[in-house]
mmCIF file of all heavy atoms in Angstrom:
data_model
loop_
_atom_site.group_PDB
_atom_site.id
_atom_site.type_symbol
_atom_site.label_atom_id
_atom_site.label_comp_id
_atom_site.label_asym_id
_atom_site.label_seq_id
_atom_site.Cartn_x
_atom_site.Cartn_y
_atom_site.Cartn_z
ATOM 1 N N PHE A 5 -147.710 -12.096 195.848
ATOM 2 C CA PHE A 5 -148.844 -12.286 196.754
ATOM 3 C C PHE A 5 -149.254 -10.967 197.418
ATOM 4 O O PHE A 5 -150.372 -10.833 197.889
ATOM 5 C CB PHE A 5 -148.543 -13.358 197.815
ATOM 6 C CG PHE A 5 -147.657 -12.876 198.926
ATOM 7 C CD1 PHE A 5 -148.223 -12.467 200.137
ATOM 8 C CD2 PHE A 5 -146.278 -12.849 198.795
ATOM 9 C CE1 PHE A 5 -147.396 -12.030 201.174
ATOM 10 C CE2 PHE A 5 -145.469 -12.416 199.811
ATOM 11 C CZ PHE A 5 -146.019 -12.008 201.013
ATOM 12 N N ASN A 8 -151.861 -6.508 196.393
ATOM 13 C CA ASN A 8 -152.862 -5.609 196.980
ATOM 14 C C ASN A 8 -152.398 -5.020 198.306
ATOM 15 O O ASN A 8 -153.208 -4.467 199.059
ATOM 16 C CB ASN A 8 -154.183 -6.351 197.170
ATOM 17 C CG ASN A 8 -154.774 -6.745 195.830
ATOM 18 O OD1 ASN A 8 -154.735 -5.990 194.863
ATOM 19 N ND2 ASN A 8 -155.292 -7.966 195.758
ATOM 20 N N LEU A 10 -149.857 -5.198 202.028
ATOM 21 C CA LEU A 10 -149.738 -6.001 203.243
ATOM 22 C C LEU A 10 -149.918 -5.094 204.444
ATOM 23 O O LEU A 10 -149.449 -3.959 204.440
ATOM 24 C CB LEU A 10 -148.365 -6.665 203.326
ATOM 25 C CG LEU A 10 -148.044 -7.773 202.349
ATOM 26 C CD1 LEU A 10 -146.562 -8.130 202.414
ATOM 27 C CD2 LEU A 10 -148.899 -9.004 202.628
ATOM 28 N N PHE A 19 -138.297 -7.900 218.854
ATOM 29 C CA PHE A 19 -137.809 -9.208 218.434
ATOM 30 C C PHE A 19 -136.813 -9.090 217.278
ATOM 31 O O PHE A 19 -135.813 -9.809 217.248
ATOM 32 C CB PHE A 19 -138.962 -10.129 218.030
ATOM 33 C CG PHE A 19 -138.527 -11.534 217.769
ATOM 34 C CD1 PHE A 19 -138.327 -12.421 218.822
ATOM 35 C CD2 PHE A 19 -138.255 -11.966 216.476
ATOM 36 C CE1 PHE A 19 -137.890 -13.726 218.579
ATOM 37 C CE2 PHE A 19 -137.814 -13.252 216.236
ATOM 38 C CZ PHE A 19 -137.632 -14.134 217.293
ATOM 39 N N VAL A 65 -117.608 -8.781 206.064
ATOM 40 C CA VAL A 65 -118.226 -7.462 205.922
ATOM 41 C C VAL A 65 -118.483 -6.861 207.300
ATOM 42 O O VAL A 65 -118.512 -7.570 208.316
ATOM 43 C CB VAL A 65 -119.559 -7.548 205.129
ATOM 44 C CG1 VAL A 65 -119.302 -8.003 203.699
ATOM 45 C CG2 VAL A 65 -120.572 -8.453 205.808
ATOM 46 N N ALA A 67 -120.483 -5.312 210.340
ATOM 47 C CA ALA A 67 -121.804 -5.507 210.954
ATOM 48 C C ALA A 67 -121.779 -4.880 212.341
ATOM 49 O O ALA A 67 -120.707 -4.684 212.952
ATOM 50 C CB ALA A 67 -122.108 -6.997 211.077
ATOM 51 N N TYR A 74 -127.815 -10.964 222.766
ATOM 52 C CA TYR A 74 -128.054 -10.885 221.325
ATOM 53 C C TYR A 74 -128.801 -9.624 220.882
ATOM 54 O O TYR A 74 -129.105 -9.472 219.713
ATOM 55 C CB TYR A 74 -128.782 -12.122 220.774
ATOM 56 C CG TYR A 74 -128.039 -13.404 221.025
ATOM 57 C CD1 TYR A 74 -128.600 -14.406 221.804
ATOM 58 C CD2 TYR A 74 -126.776 -13.613 220.492
ATOM 59 C CE1 TYR A 74 -127.922 -15.591 222.047
ATOM 60 C CE2 TYR A 74 -126.099 -14.787 220.719
ATOM 61 C CZ TYR A 74 -126.666 -15.774 221.504
ATOM 62 O OH TYR A 74 -125.988 -16.932 221.731
ATOM 63 N N PRO A 117 -145.202 -9.943 215.821
ATOM 64 C CA PRO A 117 -146.602 -9.554 215.967
ATOM 65 C C PRO A 117 -147.000 -8.387 215.057
ATOM 66 O O PRO A 117 -148.167 -8.246 214.705
ATOM 67 C CB PRO A 117 -146.740 -9.196 217.436
ATOM 68 C CG PRO A 117 -145.361 -8.947 217.926
ATOM 69 C CD PRO A 117 -144.439 -9.756 217.064
ATOM 70 N N GLU A 131 -144.971 0.779 197.947
ATOM 71 C CA GLU A 131 -144.165 0.976 199.140
ATOM 72 C C GLU A 131 -143.353 -0.291 199.474
ATOM 73 O O GLU A 131 -142.185 -0.195 199.846
ATOM 74 C CB GLU A 131 -145.054 1.325 200.334
ATOM 75 C CG GLU A 131 -145.657 2.719 200.242
ATOM 76 C CD GLU A 131 -146.688 2.971 201.331
ATOM 77 O OE1 GLU A 131 -147.526 2.065 201.603
ATOM 78 O OE2 GLU A 131 -146.669 4.078 201.901
ATOM 79 N N VAL A 150 -113.448 -0.944 204.321
ATOM 80 C CA VAL A 150 -113.358 -0.266 205.615
ATOM 81 C C VAL A 150 -111.914 0.019 205.975
ATOM 82 O O VAL A 150 -111.597 1.110 206.461
ATOM 83 C CB VAL A 150 -114.055 -1.108 206.715
ATOM 84 C CG1 VAL A 150 -113.858 -0.482 208.087
ATOM 85 C CG2 VAL A 150 -115.547 -1.257 206.409
ATOM 86 N N LEU A 159 -104.531 9.429 207.693
ATOM 87 C CA LEU A 159 -103.693 10.371 206.936
ATOM 88 C C LEU A 159 -104.156 11.820 207.097
ATOM 89 O O LEU A 159 -103.371 12.732 206.854
ATOM 90 C CB LEU A 159 -103.694 9.999 205.466
ATOM 91 C CG LEU A 159 -103.072 8.638 205.119
ATOM 92 C CD1 LEU A 159 -103.260 8.324 203.630
ATOM 93 C CD2 LEU A 159 -101.594 8.616 205.499
ATOM 94 N N CYS A 160 -105.366 12.025 207.527
ATOM 95 C CA CYS A 160 -105.891 13.397 207.660
ATOM 96 C C CYS A 160 -105.453 14.063 208.916
ATOM 97 O O CYS A 160 -105.140 13.572 209.891
ATOM 98 C CB CYS A 160 -107.425 13.367 207.606
ATOM 99 S SG CYS A 160 -108.051 12.876 206.006
#
Side-chain angles (χ1 to χ4, degrees):
F5 78 97
N8 295 320
L10 290 170
F19 188 81
V65 296
Y74 302 118
E131 289 172 317
V150 174
L159 296 174
C160 293

